[in-house]
Amino acid sequence: MTDEPFSLEVTIALPVGDVWSALRDPESIRRWHGWHFDGLDKEIEVIYHQNVVESAAEHRLEVQGGDLFELTDLGGRTSLRMTRAPRGGDPEWDAYYDDITEGWITFVHQLAFALERHPGADRRTVFLSGAAATPVLEAAGLAAVAGLSPASPYELEGPTGETLRGEVRFRTANQVGLTVESWGDGLLVATRNPPSPAGPGGAAMMVLTTYGLDDAAFADLESRWNAWWGRNFPEPSANGQDDPAGTERVPNG
């Protein structure tokens, strides 16, 4: 744990105006922020439009709580830098600091993926969360990807009997993002939150993002993955860990 604010920088292969629009337009935000649940629209309003400080000219957005987005024009590409507000001296809120950081890591990479690979397309998602009884990649049979660098191809038997094939999209200390061809060039993000004051046992999470699946195919995927998850991970504790991102919810990854 450190007192220095966390920052994350990604380069997105789109003009700065397109990335700025994706941070300001609610319909665009729905295509990358978090995952689908009944309160998603309210969450987007709370985080990105209530009590924010923005400068369209500078492409700078400070959201509720002081977390900061800064966009830099790289001549047809955009550098997005996201910097967390420092810990604020509120022990109850600061207990979730590292979990919130992991949530932002997931969301920033989902933003870059959606804009670069699926501009303007709607998605459907499956969200899985629980206590970290077993490392999530190991439980899913995906441990072999842990040592691969971004852009490396992979092909593995998934935990629900399907072949997962694509490339490593990103890796961080606690997360890995994999593209999945059979999900319409989708994205699987697997996270293991280390122990923290808010979650002494740590937490495990997956976000499955799909594109273009029909209702039957998506329902089958959702059923299979929920059943596998239920067999391998206990239900999340009632401390907000199943509800990550924002000021009303606790962002964790």
Side-chain angles (χ1 to χ4, degrees), residues 35-243:
W35 44 85
H36 294 106
F37 75 108
D38 288 343
L40 179 59
D41 290 334
K42 179 182 179 183
E43 176 168 293
I44 289 170
E45 172 64 22
V46 169
I47 295 175
Y48 297 98
H49 293 282
Q50 291 183 12
N51 301 316
V52 303
V53 179
E54 67 174 296
S55 171
E58 298 175 306
H59 298 117
R60 187 178 187 276
L61 175 67
E62 183 176 315
V63 299
Q64 199 173 150
D67 294 336
L68 177 65
F69 290 88
E70 297 171 289
L71 307 184
T72 302
D73 187 352
L74 300 179
R77 299 184 304 148
T78 301
S79 170
L80 184 156
R81 183 177 181 85
M82 190 273 168
T83 304
R84 293 292 326 280
R87 287 179 170 84
D90 179 344
E92 184 175 350
W93 181 249
D94 288 349
Y96 292 101
Y97 190 92
D98 294 327
D99 292 337
I100 295 169
T101 295
E102 293 298 329
W104 279 126
I105 291 170
T106 300
F107 301 161
V108 166
H109 282 287
Q110 288 181 158
L111 166 61
F113 179 77
L115 287 180
E116 290 185 345
R117 304 279 280 258
H118 298 280
D122 292 327
R123 59 177 181 166
R124 288 204 275 193
T125 61
V126 178
F127 172 62
L128 305 167
S129 173
T134 306
V136 64
L137 288 179
E138 180 180 316
L142 303 177
V145 305
L148 298 179
S149 59
S152 297
Y154 80 93
E155 182 173 341
L156 293 168
E157 174 98 6
T160 67
E162 64 186 311
T163 298
L164 303 180
R165 181 187 301 110
E167 66 182 23
V168 178
R169 175 71 184 184
F170 72 91
R171 283 182 56 211
T172 67
N174 298 312
Q175 300 191 34
V176 63
L178 306 173
T179 68
V180 182
E181 292 179 5
S182 59
W183 299 352
D185 183 34
L187 182 68
L188 184 158
V189 178
T191 304
R192 184 188 185 280
N193 281 12
S196 69
M205 186 189 83
M206 280 188 172
V207 183
L208 285 53
T209 298
T210 72
Y211 294 91
L213 301 187
D214 62 27
D215 290 345
F218 179 78
D220 176 64
L221 180 146
E222 184 176 37
S223 175
R224 286 186 288 105
W225 280 83
N226 274 306
W228 167 77
W229 190 269
R231 292 192 299 268
N232 287 272
F233 293 92
E235 289 294 320
S237 58
N239 64 356
Q241 298 241 344
D242 56 343
D243 201 6

